[in-house]
């Protein structure tokens, strides 16, 4: 029997392979770039390119691709072969440093939010040596950043890399000031937990809504949903477990540290969590994970749904972004240690996060906004659209004692005693879980839980990194000239926690009381993408990114336009799909059923006037009424979609889609679903929720 774990990293040009295949000096230079962000010269790149190519060709590759993350929300790739004519009608396989470093995909078909109109269509991809190259489908994949001819950022990776640099710089200054002179680099780490649905391909193929939009636009709830919670952590079905084994094997070959897998709350829903890595690699790996999930599902006759809300009435899918900061000396800066009350360094970094999350709560909300995630946030399953922080009993008590200047009494958990002799006792975690908080402290990291399942995690992470960097910069300038550093530190921590304690909330985030309370505290509550996105370009936010050199004001405006435009386009596709389903499938199906009912009534009456036609007539009446309403609502939606052509401003258009088109879609859906419940299943054109959710 083969052990797939032994193939870990097989398809990655990783450290070990670099060490084996590169001359010592080249390896050293490359490592400096990877670990310390030092720039790399062309002569080194030439040697690396050749070694990479040799390795790739030995492993069956004929092509290479610059792999990048444009604003479409998915990754992009353009494949070039290694071949080069050698003059006598034959070819050799070649790959230069220049080709490794720079690619030139045509930028004109990628969203640029207006940047393209004023500048050239030319775009460049640039090798990102900090994320290792890998092989997929006989192609060498090179992770790259993407920008326009004139240098405007057109992707999600570049701001992330910049924000990591920025945070490192600011954190190092603070740590050096605190006496940690051996720290020269600080890295943000991320472990993203990924939720997904797995359904049968045959069912999927019968649903235009799933095919075009990734979610069901109609569908009456099955008699059973998730109320028994019998799926969560339940034993994994063979077909799913085969898929998961295959998925792990594929991911391991690509160097992705896939670690945990289990069934989630909703039927057919599952989760995969990797072991954390640097934010940059975690982002690339999460993108890869989502792609490999989809491809692996196909091999098993399944479809992997990454939409945030594929099914109404059962939980949607999210992503938990576990985030922390650690030093080149191996210290996790968010680890409270044994005595957090004495650990001023920890308290300072904690304060930076608290201040950042409070001052830029709008940005954290904005970064998780999407048409799909709008179905989750604020619904009774996911964190609300209000951003707050959970610190747990222990840290909560510490923060309170600091603010009030009182002694701190540890709430630290002791040992867990099961009361069964045979079971070993163990140390409990310091805090229980608060599953309802959008931003929770979990021991030595923060878990940002409001992300939608399909989101590229580069965005939330570059925002987090930048806002924390900004706070650290402020802290440094307040502390750097202090005569008594200890006293200055304590005063600063106390001031910051006092000023920003409104963002800390340890209660139930799903309750109505919290919505009221949050409003009193002045926290923002943006319910949908258009409402949230409007604030992305607020002056405070533009200042944050401009001052820190992450993205420019022009780039932010471009991003703003892109997000709004994509939102409207998505809703338009959903509305058109609904209209098609309503007109071509649902209405005709109900008409056919109504006809058969009517025919039965008259047939029965022809046989004998004493035969009861009560059942048929009752159904006939109910469905005829509903059908009338349904057809009228379809017309209304049709007209509303046509009206959308009249708006040219992206924000107004997005709001129109949200407030008018989307509302009509909801109404049409509810009429359709109520007809589904009364229509003989032989007539209903689509597989039901029950068949889909319990079909694997
Ligand atoms: P849960 O959230 O269910 O309690 P875990 O505690 O196992 O799960 O962790 C969830 C994720 O957090 C994993 O991907 C793990 O690798 C990641 N994680 C753990 N430590 C860190 C860290 N220092 N930085 C970033 N992510 C981390
Ligand atoms: Mg978690």
């Amino acid at each position: 029997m083969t052990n797939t774990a032994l193939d870990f990293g097989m398809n990655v040009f990783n450290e070990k392979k670099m060490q084996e295949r590169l001359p010592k000096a080249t390896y050293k230079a490359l490592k400096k770039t990877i670990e310390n962000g030092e720039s790399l010269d062309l002569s080194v790149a030439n040697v690396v390119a050749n070694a990479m190519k040799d390795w790739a060709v030995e492993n069956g590759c004929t092509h290479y691709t610059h792999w990048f993350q444009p604003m479409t929300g998915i990754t992009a790739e353009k494949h070039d072969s290694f071949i080069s004519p050698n003059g006598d009608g034959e070819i050799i396989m070649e790959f230069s440093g220049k080709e490794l470093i720079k690619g030139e995909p045509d930028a004109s078909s990628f969203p640029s939010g207006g940047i393209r109109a004023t500048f050239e269509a030319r775009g460049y991809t640039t090798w990102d040596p900090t994320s290792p190259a890998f092989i997929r489908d006989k192609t060498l994949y090179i992770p790259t950043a993407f920008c326009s001819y004139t240098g405007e950022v057109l992707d999600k990776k570049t701001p992330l890399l910049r924000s990591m640099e920025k945070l490192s710089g600011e954190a190092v200054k603070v740590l050096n000031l605190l006496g940690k002179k051996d720290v020269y680099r600080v890295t943000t780490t991320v472990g993203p937990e990924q939720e997904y649905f797995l359904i049968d391909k045959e069912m999927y193929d019968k649903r235009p809504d799933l095919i075009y939009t990734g979610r069901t636009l109609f569908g009456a709830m099955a008699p059973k949903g998730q109320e028994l919670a019998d799926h969560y952590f339940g034993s994994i079905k063979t077909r799913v477990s085969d898929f998961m084994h295959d998925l792990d094997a594929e991911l391991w070959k690509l160097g992705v540290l896939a670690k945990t897998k289990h069934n989630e709350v909703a039927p057919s829903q599952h989760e995969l969590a990797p072991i954390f890595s640097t934010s940059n690699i975690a982002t690339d790996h999460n993108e890869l994970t989502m792609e490999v999930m989809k491809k692996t599902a196909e091999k098993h006759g399944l479809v992997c749904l990454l939409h945030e809300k594929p099914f109404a009435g059962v939980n949607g899918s999210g992503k938990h972004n576990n985030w922390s900061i650690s030093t080149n000396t191996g210290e996790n800066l968010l680890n409270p240690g044994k005595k957090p009350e004495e650990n001023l360094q920890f308290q300072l970094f904690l304060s930076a996060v608290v201040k950042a999350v409070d001052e830029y709560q709008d940005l954290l909300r904005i970064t998780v906004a999407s048409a799909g995630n709008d179905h989750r946030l604020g619904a009774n399953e996911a964190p609300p659209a209000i951003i707050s922080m959970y610190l747990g009993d222990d840290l909560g008590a510490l923060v309170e004692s600091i603010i009030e200047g009182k002694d701190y009494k540890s709430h630290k958990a002791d040992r867990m005693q099961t009361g069964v002799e045979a079971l070993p006792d163990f140390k409990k975690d310091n805090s229980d879980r608060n599953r309802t908080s959008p931003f929770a402290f979990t021991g030595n990291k923060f878990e940002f839980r409001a992300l939608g399942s399909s989101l590229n995690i580069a965005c939330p992470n570059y925002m987090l990194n930048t806002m924390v960097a900004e706070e650290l910069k402020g802290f440094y300038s307040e502390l750097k000239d202090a005569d008594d550093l200890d006293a200055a530190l304590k005063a600063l921590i106390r001031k910051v926690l006092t000023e920003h304690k409104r963002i800390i909330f340890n209660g139930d985030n799903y309750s109505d009381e919290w919505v009221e309370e949050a409003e009193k505290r002045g926290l923002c509550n943006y319910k949908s993408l258009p409402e949230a996105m409007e604030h992305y370009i607020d002056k405070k936010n533009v200042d944050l990114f401009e001052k820190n050199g992450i993205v420019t004001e022009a780039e932010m405006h471009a991003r703003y336009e892109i997000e709004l435009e994509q939102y409207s386009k998505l809703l338009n596709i959903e509305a058109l799909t609904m209209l098609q389903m309503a007109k071509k499938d649902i209405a005709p199906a109900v008409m056919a059923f109504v006809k058969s009912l009517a025919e039965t009534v008259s047939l029965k009456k022809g046989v004998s006037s004493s035969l009861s036609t009560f059942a048929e007539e009752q159904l006939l009446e109910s469905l005829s009424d509903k059908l009338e309403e349904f057809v009228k609502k379809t017309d209304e939606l049709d007209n509303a979609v046509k009206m959308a052509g009249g708006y040219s401003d992206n924000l107004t258009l997005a709001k129109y889609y949200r407030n008018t088109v989307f509302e009509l879609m909801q109404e049409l859906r509810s009429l359709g679903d109520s007809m589904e419940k009364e229509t003989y299943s032989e007539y209903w054109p689509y597989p039901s929720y029950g068949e889909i959710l319990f079909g694997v």
Side-chain angles (χ1 to χ4, degrees):
M1 216 134 113
T2 53
N3 187 331
T4 48
L6 298 177
D7 292 337
F8 187 87
M10 184 176 110
N11 293 341
V12 188
F13 196 66
N14 56 17
E15 282 250 3
K16 184 155 173 272
K17 294 190 189 83
M18 287 179 205
Q19 208 164 5
E20 281 166 9
R21 291 171 175 266
L22 295 173
K24 237 192 182 118
T26 313
Y27 173 70
K28 266 193 175 161
L30 181 59
K31 222 169 132 101
K32 271 194 187 149
T33 302
I34 295 172
E35 283 172 7
N36 308 333
E38 289 177 23
S39 67
L40 197 91
D41 64 54
L42 190 62
S43 64
V44 174
N46 274 323
V47 181
V48 177
N50 198 50
M52 264 187 196
K53 181 259 304 169
D54 285 346
W55 168 72
V57 170
E58 281 164 34
N59 284 282
C61 291
T62 50
H63 287 70
Y64 69 93
T65 180
H66 275 200
W67 186 61
F68 58 106
Q69 298 168 29
M71 299 302 295
T72 49
I74 49 172
T75 60
E77 48 196 74
K78 173 185 146 218
H79 296 219
D80 281 294
S81 72
F82 290 122
I83 66 162
S84 168
N86 72 349
D88 55 9
E90 312 247 299
I91 51 150
I92 48 167
M93 302 293 243
E94 257 184 0
F95 189 45
S96 68
K98 224 177 98 201
E99 287 169 307
L100 168 63
I101 289 178
K102 191 184 103 192
E104 252 184 86
D106 180 6
S108 63
S109 297
F110 291 104
S112 72
I115 283 183
R116 189 166 38 84
T118 37
F119 303 95
E120 279 215 50
R122 213 185 264 272
Y124 292 118
T125 48
T126 319
W127 176 36
D128 167 18
T130 63
S131 181
F134 54 91
I135 293 176
R136 272 182 83 192
D137 305 328
K138 297 195 180 0
T139 301
L140 174 68
Y141 278 69
I142 298 153
T144 60
F146 181 45
C147 63
S148 75
Y149 180 69
T150 35
E152 280 79 14
V153 177
L154 295 176
D155 73 346
K156 307 197 172 187
K157 178 182 275 253
T158 311
L160 177 67
L161 291 173
R162 288 178 179 171
S163 74
M164 291 171 72
E165 290 284 324
K166 193 75 206 171
L167 181 61
S168 176
E170 301 301 340
V172 167
K173 277 201 289 185
V174 168
L175 289 165
N176 289 170
L177 184 70
L178 297 185
K180 296 261 161 86
K181 303 284 186 210
D182 51 348
V183 173
Y184 56 85
R185 183 128 189 114
V186 161
T187 315
T188 50
T189 50
V190 170
E193 302 165 57
Q194 177 72 48
E195 291 180 343
Y196 61 97
F197 277 86
L198 214 50
I199 64 167
D200 192 89
K201 174 86 163 61
E202 252 177 67
M203 310 257 183
Y204 172 90
D205 285 338
K206 290 182 184 146
R207 302 245 6 171
D209 44 5
L210 285 176
I211 293 172
Y212 295 133
T213 73
R215 75 178 181 104
T216 52
L217 300 169
F218 288 102
M221 196 51 212
K224 180 181 173 195
Q226 62 190 43
E227 54 281 86
L228 295 178
D230 51 353
H231 192 255
Y232 191 54
F233 278 39
S235 97
I236 301 170
K237 288 181 186 158
T238 314
R239 200 168 162 203
V240 174
S241 129
D242 286 348
F243 158 85
M244 286 178 170
H245 279 298
D246 246 18
L247 176 63
D248 279 343
E250 271 316 299
L251 291 174
W252 287 340
K253 281 189 217 162
L254 291 167
V256 177
L257 292 158
K259 170 85 175 162
T260 309
K261 50 189 182 186
H262 61 78
N263 284 349
E264 258 302 326
V265 174
S268 282
Q269 194 186 28
H270 316 278
E271 181 183 297
L272 180 147
I275 296 171
F276 70 95
S277 45
T278 67
S279 310
N280 184 32
I281 292 180
T283 301
D284 285 0
H285 280 181
N286 183 247
E287 290 296 302
L288 261 181
T289 299
M290 293 192 284
E291 286 171 29
V292 175
M293 275 177 168
K294 286 189 187 158
K295 290 211 165 164
T296 309
E298 266 174 46
K299 286 192 209 148
H300 291 258
L302 298 163
V303 175
C304 171
L305 301 177
L306 290 167
H307 192 282
E308 283 73 16
K309 192 75 180 174
F311 304 99
V314 299
N315 276 5
S317 300
K319 186 138 62 189
H320 290 177
N321 191 82
N322 294 274
W323 175 90
S324 194
I325 335 172
S326 59
T327 64
N328 57 293
T329 52
E331 185 180 5
N332 178 347
L333 297 169
L334 293 178
N335 188 350
K338 290 214 165 73
K339 293 203 163 154
E341 66 276 23
E342 290 169 14
N343 189 345
L344 292 183
Q345 179 190 300
F346 166 73
Q347 291 177 18
L348 188 70
F349 278 88
L350 176 71
S351 303
V353 181
V354 170
K355 185 164 189 268
V357 174
D358 186 27
E359 286 179 342
Y360 300 103
Q361 47 176 290
D362 51 343
L363 277 181
L364 290 177
R365 165 65 186 101
I366 291 161
T367 190
V368 297
S370 71
N373 216 19
D374 278 1
H375 296 285
R376 291 176 66 242
L377 295 184
N380 215 17
E381 59 174 80
I386 306 163
I387 300 292
S388 69
M389 284 171 98
Y390 169 79
L391 295 181
D393 291 342
D394 205 38
L395 266 196
L398 174 64
V399 167
E400 223 174 276
S401 75
I402 293 172
I403 292 174
E404 285 166 17
K406 286 191 188 137
D407 271 351
Y408 159 74
K409 237 181 71 207
S410 174
H411 283 58
K412 236 187 185 126
D414 31 42
R415 297 193 71 77
M416 179 82 193
Q417 287 162 353
T418 56
V420 179
E421 279 301 323
L423 301 181
D425 293 342
F426 54 88
K427 191 171 166 286
K428 286 201 289 195
D429 291 312
N430 279 340
S431 62
D432 198 359
R433 289 158 188 270
N434 178 333
R435 287 289 182 198
T436 69
S437 175
F439 203 92
F441 184 75
T442 47
N444 58 5
K445 61 187 191 289
F446 277 99
E447 185 168 344
F448 185 22
R449 301 199 180 110
L451 285 70
S453 46
S454 65
L455 191 72
N456 181 318
I457 61 170
C459 297
N461 284 299
Y462 86 70
M463 295 204 179
L464 254 176
N465 296 348
T466 309
M467 57 184 80
V468 173
E470 171 72 13
E471 308 304 0
L472 290 174
K473 184 165 59 182
F475 288 3
Y476 176 77
S477 62
E478 278 200 40
L479 294 171
K480 71 178 189 318
D481 300 319
D483 296 326
D484 180 347
L485 184 61
D486 214 51
L489 260 174
K490 284 181 182 156
L492 176 64
I493 291 165
R494 183 171 182 188
K495 184 181 93 172
V496 169
L497 292 176
T498 308
E499 284 172 3
H500 298 283
K501 65 174 184 210
R502 67 167 184 168
I503 198 72
I504 300 169
F505 177 63
N506 288 336
D508 180 3
N509 283 258
Y510 294 175
S511 69
D512 294 336
E513 293 82 55
W514 170 232
V515 178
E516 273 173 46
E517 165 70 18
E519 200 180 332
K520 276 192 217 137
R521 293 190 190 186
L523 303 182
C524 56
N525 183 6
Y526 304 139
K527 294 195 182 68
S528 66
L529 180 135
E531 239 185 283
M533 211 56 214
E534 207 173 345
H535 296 280
Y536 177 60
I537 46 175
D538 284 354
K539 181 162 185 326
K540 145 182 109 63
N541 297 335
V542 172
D543 283 351
L544 173 74
F545 290 115
E546 279 229 330
K547 270 199 312 198
N548 287 291
I550 309 298
V551 277
T552 63
E553 181 164 12
E555 286 159 359
M556 286 181 75
H557 276 272
R559 266 151 218 263
Y560 163 85
E561 300 291 345
I562 290 169
E563 289 292 338
L564 288 169
E565 199 182 341
Q566 277 180 344
Y567 176 86
S568 297
K569 281 183 181 165
L570 253 164
L571 260 70
N572 185 57
I573 293 170
E574 289 192 348
L576 293 179
T577 306
M578 265 193 122
L579 287 171
Q580 181 194 305
M581 291 171 81
K583 290 182 191 172
K584 294 202 162 180
D585 297 335
I586 296 177
V590 177
M591 283 170 196
F593 182 46
V594 162
K595 177 172 169 240
S596 91
L597 288 170
E599 281 171 357
T600 311
V601 171
S602 72
L603 277 173
K604 274 184 165 179
K605 286 197 168 139
V607 173
S608 156
S609 60
S610 66
L611 277 178
S612 168
T613 51
F614 175 80
E616 291 87 349
E617 281 186 54
Q618 202 185 31
L619 205 47
L620 193 54
E621 197 177 311
S622 167
L623 274 174
S624 302
D625 288 350
K626 284 178 182 165
L627 189 57
E628 182 182 337
E629 270 189 79
F630 183 78
V631 170
K632 284 181 180 161
K633 195 59 80 183
T634 307
D635 265 352
E636 244 184 276
L637 178 61
D638 207 350
N639 288 328
V641 172
K642 286 183 186 129
M643 296 275 290
Y647 299 94
S648 55
D649 163 62
N650 278 330
L651 181 63
T652 321
L653 181 63
K655 285 189 169 170
Y656 173 76
Y657 268 106
R658 175 65 189 83
N659 299 330
T660 305
V661 176
F662 180 71
E663 290 304 322
L664 286 170
M665 284 166 60
Q666 300 279 76
E667 290 166 24
L668 183 63
R669 175 184 183 134
S670 109
L671 289 168
D673 292 355
S674 97
M675 295 199 300
E676 182 183 345
K677 286 185 186 149
E678 289 178 4
T679 303
Y680 179 27
S681 43
E682 297 266 303
Y683 282 83
W684 198 256
Y686 311 120
S688 69
Y689 264 31
E691 287 169 301
I692 302 173
L693 286 168
F694 297 93
V696 175

